[in-house]
Amino acid sequence: MDWNDIAAAAVTLFLVMDPLGNMAIFNAVLDKFDRRQRANIVARELCFALIILLAFLFAGNVILNFLGLSQPSLSIAGGILLFIIALRMIFPNPNVDAADPEEDPFIVPLAVPLVAGPSTIAILLLLSSTEPERILEWSLALLMAWGGTTVLLVASPFLLRVLGDRGSQALKRLMGMILVIIATQMLLNGVADFLTSLPNS
């Protein structure tokens, strides 16, 4: 196993899952529930998110072949999507409503799209289609990222009190800057693969 690649994939997935940015939304949605209900809902939604992400990771090649998607197109689309997510992390929109707090958030919006969002799914499809023989390594990277996300979201009430609004916003923007670099590199790799795949004129 190449632990450097696993760590890099885990960090990328962790940044895309954006647990620091999602802490406030989780707390807003679950504010009316007591501590035990809150813990049960968080555990349930995170398990749903993990199952969905693992399904896309293991079925990546089947999905791509069925839809007729190429590797360069996935890399370019993933890079653009990550770049948009990163910009939203750096320049958040304060007018976006999280969700209706009066309902039990079953799968939507906590599991999908907050944790198992389109950017995370795109990265998993990219990993599984690029090097399918390393699917166990990518699974380990996903579990590491999901584990880190779980720890932060479970501890979010305490962390929000410690960090405060300014601290959480600063960390979120720092993660956004790192994600901009990753998105740019993914986009450049996709363009390079596309140009390489063109027939020689």
Side-chain angles (χ1 to χ4, degrees):
M1 285 191 176
D2 190 335
W3 288 101
N4 289 331
D5 288 349
I6 293 174
V11 169
T12 302
L13 289 168
F14 177 79
L15 291 174
V16 175
M17 289 180 186
D18 190 19
L20 288 175
N22 289 333
M23 285 194 301
I25 301 177
F26 266 69
N27 279 275
V29 172
L30 302 176
D31 185 58
K32 73 183 184 73
F33 298 99
D34 61 39
R35 183 177 298 180
R36 175 170 293 184
Q37 287 178 310
R38 179 195 189 95
N40 290 337
I41 292 173
V42 170
R44 181 192 70 196
E45 297 305 307
L46 287 169
C47 288
F48 277 135
L50 179 61
I51 292 171
I52 292 169
L53 292 174
L54 284 173
F56 275 98
L57 177 62
F58 281 90
N61 282 322
V62 175
I63 294 172
L64 292 180
N65 292 334
F66 177 76
L67 297 177
L69 301 177
S70 66
Q71 183 61 46
S73 67
L74 187 60
S75 296
I76 294 172
I80 294 173
L81 199 58
L82 284 185
F83 194 82
I84 294 173
I85 295 294
L87 288 181
R88 289 180 178 175
M89 292 170 66
I90 299 172
F91 306 106
N93 184 357
N95 296 321
V96 175
D97 294 328
D100 183 1
E102 298 301 322
E103 299 180 0
D104 182 359
F106 185 73
I107 298 183
V108 179
L110 301 184
V112 180
L114 290 182
V115 179
S119 298
T120 312
I121 292 172
I123 291 177
L124 293 175
L125 290 175
L126 185 61
L127 291 173
S128 63
S129 62
T130 304
E131 297 178 281
E133 70 279 0
R134 303 177 65 185
I135 194 71
L136 293 180
E137 295 182 38
W138 305 141
S139 300
L140 182 57
L142 173 58
L143 289 174
M144 291 169 61
W146 178 84
T149 299
T150 299
V151 170
L152 286 181
L153 291 177
V154 169
S156 59
F158 172 75
L159 291 175
L160 285 174
R161 287 196 298 268
V162 172
L163 293 175
D165 291 337
R166 287 182 176 272
S168 60
Q169 284 297 324
L171 283 177
K172 183 178 180 180
R173 288 174 179 173
L174 177 61
M175 293 172 67
M177 286 298 298
I178 298 173
L179 201 56
V180 165
I181 300 172
I182 296 173
T184 303
Q185 186 61 55
M186 183 182 295
L187 184 60
L188 291 175
N189 291 342
V191 172
D193 291 341
F194 173 72
L195 294 177
T196 303
S197 67
L198 291 177
N200 294 327
S201 55

